[in-house]
């Protein structure tokens, strides 16, 4: 399917160019977070200068949770980038598919505080419509007047990539002509940090937060909580060409699998991830030799990075294509990650440039992959993978081709 629009709201900036520039700078963006003050892990990545009221208006901002605010801004960007006008399109032929993992953390934090204080009547009547996972797709569909299929996917940290895959399937089936697809999340709330800390998943590098997220580095010790949204406009190529749209790339293949192994740990042999990659390539009618770049899941966890790297090494042999993980710069955006990284993959193909993996000072011994570090690398490529893996052993892989 043709990619005709991109929208990004990340800790690197509000907007596609701002996010791309910040990611390519190759520096970690984590810092102390006043929202997390007093917790064992009190730092995160967040979207700077995100003024939702200025971008969306004060009334809409008041009605929706932050994860929906992020998605709505990214969706508006993507639709504008695709040169589409919601006033003119055939609304029942426009689908919205958005992924989310954590959903309304801000809303539930406020509600539980009131409940603990015995002030039930202080709980907002908007608590449920602000926090239910499906409401992000519902709110975006209302905002953009898109009345076709409207879905939310939730496959943990693969949610955004799963959303793009489902949107591709809707287009392929003829259920819609345009799909607004992506992911969003904001888990940098006290309960999110505390819960991931208790799982042992977060970096505890409190003395140097900016260097805490370090995918594939020998000294990595966990991921960094983040927030953000990524949205992609997809169309059938003939539909895009008929309206004279600029095509930024093609979503050529989608593969999904389940590890069937453990609630939080990936299969040690990487079998589930490998099958998702192979399924994406088969769906595109492609071979591993046609993969010239991999935007890795690369969360900065000791186990996860090793398993993904070994899987890539097995799949590609000694000639692994250049690999990057944007999580070194912007942290782990959870349900948004697969969509944010898909958008960055499209930009990499478009600009023939692989962003660096921030904070990678020494590649972990035994990881036989070519990870781009320090600065962006110019690289000729026509095909690239974007990997996304989540709790529950849920894997989603996207294969993109250059336009």
């Amino acid at each position: 399917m043709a990619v005709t629009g991109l929208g990004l709201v990340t800790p690197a900036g509000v907007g596609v160019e701002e996010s791309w520039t910040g990611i390519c700078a190759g520096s970690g963006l984590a810092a102390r977070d006043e929202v997390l003050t007093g917790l064992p892990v009190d730092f995160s990545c967040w979207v700077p200068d995100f003024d939702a009221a200025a971008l969306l208006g004060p009334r809409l901002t008041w009605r929706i949770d932050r994860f929906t605010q992020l998605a709505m801004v990214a969706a508006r960007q993507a639709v504008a980038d695709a040169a589409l006008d919601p006033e003119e399109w055939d609304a029942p032929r426009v689908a919205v598919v958005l992924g989310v993992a954590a959903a309304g953390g801000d809303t539930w934090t406020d509600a539980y505080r009131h409940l603990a204080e015995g002030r039930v009547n202080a709980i907002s009547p908007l608590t449920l419509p602000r926090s239910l996972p499906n409401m992000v797709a519902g709110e975006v569909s209302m905002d953009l007047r898109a009345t076709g299929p409207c879905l939310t996917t939730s496959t943990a940290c693969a949610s955004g990539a799963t959303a793009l895959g489902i949107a591709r399937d809707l287009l392929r089936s003829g259920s819609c002509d345009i799909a607004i697809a992506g992911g969003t999340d904001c888990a940098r709330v006290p309960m999110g940090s505390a819960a991931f800390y208790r799982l042992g998943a977060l970096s505890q590098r409190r003395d140097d937060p900016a260097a805490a997220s370090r995918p594939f580095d020998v000294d990595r010790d966990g991921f960094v909580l983040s927030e953000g949204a990524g949205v992609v406009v997809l169309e059938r190529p003939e539909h895009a060409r008929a309206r004279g749209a600029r095509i930024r790339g093609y979503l050529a293949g989608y593969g999904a699998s389940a590890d069937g192994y453990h609630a939080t740990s990936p299969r040690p042999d990487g079998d589930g991830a490998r099958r998702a990659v192979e399924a994406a390539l088969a769906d595109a009618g492609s071979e591993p030799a046609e993969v010239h770049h991999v935007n890795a899941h690369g969360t900065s966890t000791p186990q996860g990075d090793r398993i993904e790297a070994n899987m890539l090494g097995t799949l590609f042999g000694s000639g692994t294509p250049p690999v990057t993980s944007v999580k070194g710069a912007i942290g782990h955006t959870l349900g948004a990650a697969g969509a944010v990284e898909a958008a960055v993959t499209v930009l990499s193909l478009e600009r023939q440039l692989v962003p660096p993996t921030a904070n990678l000072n020494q590649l972990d011994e035994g990881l036989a992959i070519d990870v781009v570090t320090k600065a962006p690398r110019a690289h000729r490529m026509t095909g690239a993978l974007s990997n996304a893996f989540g709790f529950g052993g849920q894997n989603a892989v996207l294969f993109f081709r250059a336009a």
Side-chain angles (χ1 to χ4, degrees):
M1 297 300 163
V3 176
T4 58
L6 299 175
L8 284 171
V9 179
T10 74
V14 179
V16 170
E17 292 304 322
E18 293 83 352
S19 292
W20 173 259
T21 299
I23 289 168
C24 285
S27 298
L29 297 171
R32 292 291 167 89
D33 188 341
E34 63 179 15
V35 173
L36 306 178
T37 297
L39 293 172
V41 178
D42 58 359
F43 58 91
S44 74
C45 293
W46 64 88
V47 179
D49 304 319
F50 183 73
D51 188 342
L55 293 167
L56 300 172
R59 183 171 178 79
L60 179 57
T61 298
W62 166 78
R63 197 182 80 229
I64 59 178
D65 193 273
R66 187 173 177 89
F67 80 106
T68 303
Q69 295 169 8
L70 297 168
M72 197 169 287
V73 171
R76 287 183 179 183
Q77 289 176 14
V79 168
D81 185 52
L84 288 164
D85 184 351
E87 295 287 350
E88 297 180 356
W89 63 26
D90 185 3
R93 300 295 299 168
V94 181
V96 176
V97 188
L98 295 173
V100 62
D106 283 343
T107 296
W108 283 112
T109 296
D110 289 342
Y112 278 124
R113 184 180 71 252
H114 293 314
L115 185 64
E117 294 170 352
R119 301 192 308 133
V120 173
N121 287 335
I123 296 173
S124 171
L126 293 177
T127 296
L128 286 175
R130 280 172 55 92
S131 62
L132 292 173
N134 75 293
M135 289 305 296
V136 65
E139 290 285 0
V140 168
S141 74
M142 287 184 275
D143 184 67
L144 296 174
R145 294 175 293 285
T147 60
C150 181
L151 307 172
T152 298
T153 61
S154 187
T155 52
C157 301
S159 297
T162 301
L164 267 69
I166 297 299
R168 189 284 312 265
D169 289 347
L170 289 173
L171 286 161
R172 181 180 282 179
S173 73
S175 299
C176 60
D177 297 322
I178 298 166
I180 300 161
T184 185
D185 241 332
C186 174
R188 43 173 287 266
V189 294
M191 184 58 74
S193 177
F196 279 117
Y197 164 75
R198 289 291 293 142
L199 270 177
L202 297 182
S203 170
Q204 299 183 45
R205 205 178 299 270
R206 297 180 69 246
D207 59 331
D208 190 6
S213 182
R214 43 203 313 132
F216 304 113
D217 189 88
V218 66
D219 290 327
R220 66 191 184 279
D221 70 328
F223 70 79
V224 173
L225 277 177
S226 184
E227 64 175 358
V231 175
V232 174
V233 175
L234 296 173
E235 303 176 56
R236 286 186 296 278
E238 59 271 22
H239 185 275
R241 286 192 288 265
R243 68 178 188 87
R246 173 186 58 165
I247 296 177
R248 305 193 70 155
Y250 295 95
L251 174 52
Y254 164 60
S257 70
D259 282 357
Y261 173 73
H262 190 271
T264 59
S265 297
R267 280 182 62 100
D269 61 5
D271 178 71
R274 177 188 55 77
R275 287 187 288 106
V277 170
E278 292 176 343
L281 292 176
D283 185 47
S286 298
E287 300 291 336
E290 297 175 68
V291 177
H292 305 135
H293 163 50
V294 177
N295 193 306
H297 186 58
T299 59
S300 183
T301 59
Q303 183 185 40
D305 285 8
R306 182 181 67 255
I307 292 170
E308 184 177 14
N310 289 341
M311 180 272 292
L312 293 173
T314 299
L315 188 67
F316 295 106
S318 59
T320 59
V323 174
T324 195
S325 170
V326 304
K327 293 183 180 75
I330 65 172
H332 195 348
T333 56
L334 303 183
V340 168
E341 291 154 19
V344 172
T345 303
V346 171
L347 292 169
S348 292
L349 287 168
E350 189 176 68
R351 301 174 187 200
Q352 298 289 284
L353 199 65
V354 179
T357 302
N359 297 322
L360 176 52
N361 299 316
Q362 182 180 345
L363 185 67
D364 193 358
E365 184 177 355
L367 302 188
I369 55 173
D370 176 16
V371 186
V372 177
T373 64
K374 309 304 181 186
R377 182 191 298 179
H379 183 63
R380 290 176 61 87
M381 47 187 160
T382 59
L385 289 172
S386 184
N387 293 342
F389 312 130
F391 280 0
Q394 294 178 286
N395 309 303
V397 174
L398 305 168
F399 179 65
F400 291 94
R401 287 200 181 100

